[in-house]
Amino acid sequence: MSTTTPAAPAAPAAPTGALNAARTMATAARVLRQLRHDPRTIALLILVPCLMLILLRYVFDASPRTFDNIGASLLGIFPLITMFLVTSIATLRERTSGTLERLLAMPLGKADLIAGYALAFGGLAIVQSALATGLAVWLLGLDVTGSAWLLLLVALLDALLGTALGLFVSAFAASEFQAVQFMPAVIFPQLLLCGLFTARSNMHPVLEAVSDVLPMSYAVDGMNEVLHHTDMTATFVRGVSIVAGCAVLVLTLGAATLRRRTA
C-alpha cells in the first residue's frame, strides 16, 4: 500500500514585471509618510526653489526685463535640481539601510517601487511647481506672454525629470556623498548647454550637437515659447513631449538598474 506525503505549501508568487496599482500606491503612501517626518527635506523641496526665485528677482532689481528673460527658464531648472538631489539621496538611503532589500523580498516588483517613488515625489513636484509658478507670476511680476498654466506644465515636467534622474543615478552611488557628486556630471553640463546663458545656435557646433540630446535644452525651449508667444506653438509641444518622454525613459532605466543593496 503506497503512501503519499502532503504537498509543501506553495511559495508566494514572485511579482511580475507588470505594474500593480495597489503595490504602487502602497509604496507612494509609505514614502509620503516618511517625508512627513522629515521637515528639512520638505523645506528643501518646497521652499528652496521659491527662495531662489525671490533672490534672483532682487539681484536684477534694477533690470526687471533681465529677470523676465531668465526667470521663466530658471522656474523649470530649480525644481529639476532640487528633485534630483532629494530623490537620489532618499532612494540611496533606503538601499544602504537595508529597507530596499526587505521590500523587494516581499511581493513588490522593481517597477512597483520605482513607480511608487515617482508618484510620491511627483505629488510633491506638483506642489513645488505650483508655488514657484504662482510666486514668480503673481508676486514677483514675471512678465510672460503666454499662459501661466503652460509655465506650470513645463515646471512640473522638469521636476518629474529631476525625480527620474535621481532615481536612476542612485543605483550607481555607494553613499549619499557619491549621490551628490553625480550632480556635476548629470546636471551641470545640461545647465551650461541648455541655452540659459546664450542661444544654443551661438555655441560651438560640437556643443550645440550635444545640447540637442539633453532634455533640459527642450525644457528651456518650452519656457521661452511661453515667454514670447500667446498660443501653444509646435516648438512648445515638441519640447514638453521630449521632456516627458525622457522622464519615462529614465524611470524605465531606473527600474531596470535598481539594486537591492549597496555592494
Side-chain angles (χ1 to χ4, degrees):
M1 181 176 179
S2 62
T3 60
T4 58
T5 57
T16 63
L19 280 174
N20 180 281
R23 293 194 294 256
T24 298
M25 293 299 294
T27 301
R30 182 185 62 81
V31 173
L32 289 175
R33 284 195 301 269
Q34 289 179 331
L35 287 173
R36 187 179 61 185
H37 300 292
D38 190 352
R40 288 176 296 182
T41 299
I42 298 284
L44 177 63
L45 284 172
I46 304 300
L47 299 181
V48 167
C50 295
L51 293 175
M52 292 298 100
L53 286 170
I54 293 172
L55 177 62
L56 183 70
R57 168 62 182 85
Y58 291 104
V59 164
F60 297 110
D61 191 43
S63 180
R65 193 60 195 166
T66 304
F67 175 69
D68 291 337
N69 289 334
I70 68 172
S73 299
L74 291 175
L75 186 60
I77 292 173
F78 286 156
L80 188 154
I81 293 174
T82 55
M83 294 304 293
F84 172 85
L85 272 175
V86 171
T87 308
S88 60
I89 292 173
T91 309
L92 181 65
R93 189 177 297 168
E94 294 260 271
R95 198 171 71 241
T96 55
S97 66
T99 302
L100 193 60
E101 185 175 14
R102 292 192 296 271
L103 288 172
L104 291 178
M106 302 165 61
L108 180 71
K110 291 182 178 181
D112 299 319
L113 188 72
I114 291 293
Y117 267 88
L119 188 61
F121 284 106
L124 290 173
I126 292 174
V127 177
Q128 179 196 67
S129 301
L131 286 176
T133 302
L135 174 71
V137 174
W138 289 298
L139 292 181
L140 300 180
L142 180 66
D143 186 16
V144 294
T145 303
S147 169
W149 292 105
L150 296 181
L151 278 184
L152 175 59
L153 174 62
V154 182
L156 175 59
L157 290 175
D158 284 348
L160 293 176
L161 176 62
T163 299
L165 289 170
L167 289 169
F168 177 64
V169 303
S170 68
F172 303 99
S175 66
E176 294 180 15
F177 180 67
Q178 285 187 9
V180 174
Q181 286 180 311
F182 273 105
M183 177 171 282
V186 176
I187 300 297
F188 287 179
Q190 297 193 66
L191 185 62
L192 293 174
L193 299 177
C194 68
L196 177 65
F197 302 105
T198 184
R200 291 191 287 129
S201 58
N202 295 335
M203 297 177 185
H204 188 281
V206 173
L207 295 181
E208 183 181 1
V210 173
S211 74
D212 287 341
V213 299
L214 299 177
M216 193 183 291
S217 301
Y218 297 96
V220 171
D221 286 349
M223 286 296 194
N224 288 334
E225 290 297 300
V226 180
L227 187 64
H228 298 295
H229 298 87
T230 56
D231 299 322
M232 189 183 300
T233 65
T235 302
F236 175 84
V237 173
R238 184 188 66 166
V240 297
S241 298
I242 290 174
V243 173
C246 287
V248 173
L249 175 62
V250 175
L251 282 175
T252 303
L253 292 174
T257 57
L258 183 67
R259 292 181 294 162
R260 291 174 180 267
R261 59 181 176 179
T262 301

